[in-house]
């Protein structure tokens, strides 16, 4: 019986069947990217909800590509929080009595 090419194993056919040996099934590789199915509850803040929705983009990417999505979402959330600090708040109360 000839030897299989280097790195390829063969499954032996049952004795006496006359069937040829066949290449062994390769070990399964990593699973394809798939959604995790984690529900996202809307916050009611459009800017935040849009950033959180962006996380779904990672569902269809390989693990090595998640970082770009996570960094983008993180930066967007930081920008949104920073913008809240820049908005003017309510006016200060007027002083009462003599100054």
């Amino acid at each position: 019986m000839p030897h299989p090419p280097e790195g390829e194993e063969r499954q032996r056919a049952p004795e006496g069947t006359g069937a040829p040996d066949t290449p062994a099934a390769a070990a399964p590789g990593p699973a394809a990217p798939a959604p995790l199915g984690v529900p996202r509850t809307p916050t009611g803040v459009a800017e935040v909800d849009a950033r959180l929705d962006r996380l779904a983009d990672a569902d269809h990417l390989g693990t090595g590509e998640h970082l770009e999505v996570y960094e983008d979402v993180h930066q967007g959330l930081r920008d949104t929080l920073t913008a809240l600090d820049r908005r003017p708040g309510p006016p200060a109360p007027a002083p009462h009595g003599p100054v």
Side-chain angles (χ1 to χ4, degrees):
M1 171 186 328
H3 293 289
E6 179 128 357
E8 182 180 307
E9 295 184 24
R10 297 184 78 74
Q11 290 180 330
R12 297 187 64 94
E15 293 290 325
T17 61
D21 291 346
T22 58
L36 294 176
V38 177
R40 283 182 291 284
T41 304
T43 66
V45 179
E47 296 94 352
V48 173
D49 290 339
R51 295 299 176 174
L52 295 177
D53 287 344
R54 168 99 165 91
L55 289 173
D57 293 347
D59 287 345
H60 308 287
L61 300 173
T63 305
E65 299 170 89
H66 288 185
L67 183 60
E68 181 181 339
V69 173
Y70 297 155
E71 286 179 343
D72 180 52
V73 170
H74 182 251
Q75 186 60 51
L77 291 172
R78 286 179 60 102
D79 292 346
T80 300
L81 287 172
T82 300
L84 290 174
D85 289 340
R86 286 190 221 128
R87 291 184 188 158
H96 296 287
V99 180

